[in-house]
Amino acid sequence: MKFYNRLIFTSLLLTAIVSCKSQQKALITDGSKLVQVANNFSFTEGPASDKNGNVYFTDQPNNKILKWNQADNSINTFMESSGRANGLYFDNNENLLAAADDKNELWRIHKSGEIDTLIADFEGRKLNGPNDLWVDLKGGIYFTDPYYQREYWTRTEADIKEKNVYYISPDLKNISIVAKGLTQPNGIIGTPDGKILYVADIGDKKTYSYSIQKDGTLSDRKLFTDIGSDGMTIDNLGNIYLTGEGVTIFNSKGERLKNIPINENWTANVTFGGKNQDVLFITAMGSVYTLQMNVHGVRY
């Protein structure tokens, strides 16, 4: 009887291992290889995909926003003098939002190129430097506000000592702190159903999940994994992609599935692009990379 039970246990264990390995293999298309699209930038960041699958990303030291055209794999300059933009995200009206680090602002860039400054301070104090952002189903905007001293700033210390996560209401009239007690919040991404928000505290090497309430506030903070991240994204299976040492993929339970090594000193950010949202687009140091996936990104 003991032998029989042991046999069942061994069989279940092998099934679980095979299932886990199959899940890992299923993430990336068989035979797909990492492609370096370009390597002539200073430091790439903030990739965001439009509805057609083109990916916009930043070269912050050169103060530019670039556009990767998915149809022909070309890259063109979208905007010069981009406010030292860091993180990017498209709002629900296909306007490009930018964490404009030069003056610590949040911009909305219209298709015409017109720029609206959505926020420049909080309660009369200058923001630390909006870094990354995510837009919910209602059009509300979550953004992280760490402090990284920049050589192009005249100030040498933060007006706001805490490093918080903020929420701008869908009507853009109200801004509030929704997450405190973080060392250096950076990457941020939400689930497509608008129920869970993931925030990476890169300064404390941790990533947390929060429950999103109807009014946009956050509750029920839980440790997701004991590593931090720069930029983040999510796929249609609910897997979370963290960056830093390559791209590391976790399932929604916080279990590590796979690491995609990138031959660069730092991997800054990641998103899904391409016509079918199944191309993983990665920014790393002075380069950008693509990888064909079996999973795809999620758009509203």
Side-chain angles (χ1 to χ4, degrees):
M1 188 67 175
K2 289 182 178 179
F3 175 77
Y4 178 72
N5 288 339
R6 194 182 305 119
L7 188 64
I8 291 176
F9 175 77
T10 303
S11 177
L12 290 173
L13 181 61
L14 287 172
T15 299
I17 291 171
V18 170
S19 175
C20 183
K21 287 184 177 179
S22 296
Q23 186 176 13
Q24 288 185 27
K25 290 179 180 178
L27 294 172
I28 301 173
T29 303
D30 286 344
S32 178
K33 294 183 179 180
L34 192 70
V35 176
Q36 186 183 61
V37 180
N39 64 352
N40 56 330
F41 308 109
S42 293
F43 191 84
T44 57
E45 250 284 13
S49 174
D50 67 16
K51 64 180 180 180
N52 297 315
N54 304 305
V55 176
Y56 295 68
F57 64 96
T58 63
D59 185 3
Q60 191 181 40
N62 289 320
N63 202 15
K64 291 181 180 181
I65 297 176
L66 292 306
K67 177 184 176 183
W68 172 71
N69 302 284
Q70 61 87 21
D72 61 4
N73 202 36
S74 65
I75 293 177
N76 305 106
T77 299
F78 170 72
M79 175 178 285
E80 303 268 9
S81 301
S82 62
R84 300 277 185 179
N86 195 341
L88 304 174
Y89 206 90
F90 278 93
D91 68 15
N92 298 345
N93 296 313
E94 285 298 309
N95 299 307
L96 185 62
L97 303 179
D101 192 70
D102 188 23
K103 296 181 180 179
N104 317 108
E105 299 170 335
L106 200 65
W107 285 6
R108 176 172 60 193
I109 306 170
H110 296 264
K111 295 175 184 177
S112 63
E114 180 184 356
I115 297 171
D116 299 328
T117 300
L118 300 183
I119 183 172
D121 58 59
F122 177 71
E123 297 179 345
R125 293 181 294 170
K126 184 180 286 293
L127 292 166
N128 293 332
N131 186 277
D132 213 346
L133 58 159
W134 178 74
V135 179
D136 67 16
L137 289 163
K138 300 175 184 178
I141 305 167
Y142 293 89
F143 70 91
T144 56
D145 191 41
Y147 187 87
Y148 295 104
Q149 184 65 48
R150 307 297 193 188
E151 61 182 14
Y152 43 83
W153 289 348
T154 56
R155 65 171 174 162
T156 56
E157 61 181 3
D159 288 3
I160 303 172
K161 300 303 179 184
E162 302 81 16
K163 284 81 173 179
N164 302 315
V165 178
Y166 294 85
Y167 180 68
I168 304 176
S169 61
D171 61 9
L172 306 180
K173 293 181 179 180
N174 299 301
I175 176 174
S176 57
I177 298 172
V178 290
K180 298 180 178 181
L182 300 164
T183 303
Q184 199 78 307
N186 200 310
I188 187 169
I189 195 70
T191 55
D193 60 9
K195 293 182 178 181
I196 302 294
L197 185 72
Y198 295 91
V199 177
D201 188 350
I202 196 170
D204 198 28
K205 298 181 180 179
K206 290 179 173 60
T207 298
Y208 298 97
S209 68
Y210 297 82
S211 295
I212 301 175
Q213 305 306 303
K214 290 182 178 180
D215 61 358
T217 57
L218 304 177
S219 65
D220 194 26
R221 175 171 119 164
K222 295 178 180 177
L223 179 65
F224 178 68
T225 183
D226 271 318
I227 68 169
S229 182
D230 202 332
M232 305 165 65
T233 196
I234 188 171
D235 68 22
N236 63 299
L237 300 181
N239 299 317
I240 307 300
Y241 295 64
L242 306 186
T243 57
E245 296 181 2
V247 178
T248 306
I249 307 170
F250 294 82
N251 65 19
S252 58
K253 297 178 181 179
E255 299 167 339
R256 176 174 164 148
L257 300 179
K258 189 174 184 62
N259 176 265
I260 302 171
I262 310 294
N263 189 26
E264 302 282 355
N265 291 333
W266 185 252
T267 300
N269 215 323
V270 61
T271 196
F272 282 89
K275 182 180 179 181
N276 300 312
Q277 287 286 307
D278 58 357
V279 176
L280 198 64
F281 190 95
I282 303 162
T283 62
M285 301 304 290
S287 301
V288 291
Y289 296 83
T290 58
L291 182 63
Q292 185 64 48
M293 306 291 287
N294 273 333
V295 290
H296 57 82
V298 288
R299 292 293 307 271
Y300 300 139

